[in-house]
Amino acid sequence: MPLPPAPTKRAAQLSPEAYHLKAVADETPAPATVPAPAAPAATAQTTGRSRTRTTLPKTETAPAATPAPARGRRHGAASGGKTSRKPEDAPARAQAVMEAPVAAAAPVPARRKAASTRSAGQGPARLFVLDTNVLLHDPMSLFRFEEHDIFLPMIVLEELDGHKKGMTEVARNGRQTSRNLDALAAQTGGDMAKGLKLSATGHHAARGLLFFQTEPLLNDLPASLPQGKADNQILGVVHALRQKHQDREVILVSKDINMRVKARALGLAAEDYENDKTLDDGELLYSGALALPQDFWTRQSKTIESWQSGSHTFYRVSGPAVGQFHINQFVYFEAPGEPSLYARVTEIRDKTAVLKTLKDYTHLKNAVWGVTSRNREQNFALNLLMDPEIDFVTLAGTAGTGKTLMALASGLTQVLDERRYTEIIMTRATVSVGEDIGFLPGTEEEKMGPWMGALDDNLEFLAKGDVGGAGEWGRAATNELIRSRIKVKSMNFMRGRTFMNKYVIIDEAQNLTPKQMKTLITRAGPGTKIICMGNLAQIDTPYLTEGSSGLTYAVDRFKGWPHGGHITLARGERSRLADFASEVL
């Protein structure tokens, strides 16, 4: 059988009939001696293979009984050639096409199949109605919903317009959201009524459409809800969209808890915006320390390798526990009757890791500005704070665990004694616990003074412990020297600055958003070390949770970086009263 002529078009553009006719022409025998039912069976046997040229077995090949003109007519139909056909052949050709097996049908092109996967398998895309606080919280939330569509009520645009003035973080986010919406609305060929492509501005992960409210939507919400309130107008839009698009799932996305409660009370689907959360559960946060199993040394008895370098001992270990290690993670082994091990992971290669023993800051001879560690985690923290190879340190823990005291003591030692850094820069998030007391007079440092009570308390303790019996004049001179090397700065004026050879302490970092945290960390220049401290149980910033805090974000992103480290301080050392209050209150 001769080969069919080469196709003149791409295979993805051929019509399904072309595949049917080609299969019938190439694989269906035509002699009159072959029974009619045998033709589909033979065709099904051959068409299930790959799309290479297939020939029939010699036992089924018709010799001279098949006339050549018939083959010519069939090849002409498959390739689009011009052949003469008799009118009485039309029913036979139609019958041949109808009897072709399903396996010979045209395969669906890959592009068309990928585009129709959602509609075929998962149903239509969901329609998310965004509340104003979502856009003010994260301007990039428009592009975080993957293949699903977004709807913005007109009242949301009105509220965005009311938040665009000012220098606060909310005002900046409102202006950025307005710029994103303007870029989407200005796309070429866009139609607001039919939806704007969210990927038009380069965010290819957003494959859905953006819809604006271009017409009034009627709803039948209870009359007891005040119609002039913005939240109720948004709820009315969600209710009307659910009635209008009954084949789609319409969901309200809001950071306002009361808004979500009201929506569920009205029978509407409502969800929190969770794309900003680094972790779903705060208990999953990387702690920075790992307890080795009791049989760790037993498994390592044949493969362990150790060597000495200075005052540190190194161990090269292997085994199943290595898969849980991260660079600069602390590991410890404590068992009754056996020597303890406190080390830090300095290298991970394949299935082996190198452990480096720690400097013992619990001993008075290794005291840092007169401060010694009182527990295991504090010893881990001081090893990070005093290591010149560590550029970024995060400390998390409850009140009274010694975060600020250790950071200040390490900073004073490396600035005044070792001259490793030129000065200490301290800042914190100025979020009030209670009512605001109004504007504060004075310079930048004087305005930050009321926020730096923790700095004053710890400096008083450190200065008193260092001077000893030097008297009042000695204490005054020491305090003046310490104060000259500590600068208190406000976060509002950090953008655009570069810190070189500075020791930067960011206190109360749990109140920072991920964007603010990025702004502060990227201020670091050559030779600068940054310490972020905070208690994730004391978040005062609205719409910020343990999972979306900037401190959580930094801990998770810097996990395993060779020049960064984290430790969670678990035990308070302030006083027995403070420890008991942290547990029971």
Side-chain angles (χ1 to χ4, degrees), residues 41-210:
T43 307
Q45 182 181 0
T46 55
T47 54
R49 303 171 185 171
S50 60
R51 293 183 57 192
T52 56
R53 187 174 65 91
T54 308
T55 58
L56 293 174
K58 294 182 179 181
T59 55
E60 296 181 4
T61 305
T66 304
R71 288 201 304 272
R73 285 197 301 269
R74 296 202 176 188
H75 285 301
S79 60
K82 295 182 180 180
T83 57
S84 58
R85 299 188 180 94
K86 298 180 181 180
E88 57 269 21
D89 291 341
R93 291 196 304 272
Q95 183 67 20
V97 173
M98 293 299 293
E99 290 180 357
V102 179
V108 181
R111 285 182 298 177
R112 190 187 308 169
K113 186 182 296 184
S116 61
T117 301
R118 185 184 66 194
S119 60
Q122 303 175 0
R126 289 183 285 182
L127 182 63
F128 290 98
V129 182
L130 300 190
D131 195 2
T132 312
N133 48 45
V134 175
L135 299 173
L136 294 177
H137 177 72
D138 183 8
M140 305 304 294
S141 59
L142 292 167
F143 312 104
R144 309 287 193 195
F145 290 88
E146 298 181 348
E147 76 272 14
H148 303 291
D149 299 335
I150 295 176
F151 187 93
L152 293 183
M154 192 59 64
I155 188 63
V156 170
L157 301 180
E158 289 289 339
E159 287 190 309
L160 280 176
D161 188 65
H163 287 88
K164 66 181 181 181
K165 296 181 180 179
M167 297 301 297
T168 62
E169 187 72 17
V170 172
R172 282 192 287 267
N173 290 343
R175 291 192 291 269
Q176 181 61 43
T177 302
S178 299
R179 286 191 285 267
N180 292 338
L181 294 176
D182 180 64
L184 290 171
Q187 61 182 261
T188 305
D191 188 358
M192 286 190 177
K194 297 180 180 179
L196 303 173
K197 291 184 178 180
L198 289 167
S199 59
T201 56
H203 300 85
H204 301 293
R207 304 184 297 274
L209 300 176
L210 172 64

Side-chain angles (χ1 to χ4, degrees), residues 368-422:
V368 179
W369 203 263
V371 174
T372 58
S373 58
R374 295 186 178 182
N375 55 54
R376 180 179 59 226
E377 285 76 18
Q378 285 187 354
N379 189 31
F380 294 164
L382 286 175
N383 273 272
L384 288 176
L385 293 170
M386 296 298 295
D387 191 346
E389 294 297 322
I390 303 297
D391 300 332
F392 182 73
V393 180
T394 49
L395 302 177
T398 58
T401 51
K403 302 183 295 294
T404 307
L405 180 65
M406 289 189 297
L408 270 177
S410 302
L412 291 174
T413 300
Q414 296 175 88
V415 169
L416 296 176
D417 293 347
E418 300 178 2
R419 305 294 179 90
R420 188 175 297 157
Y421 308 103
T422 57

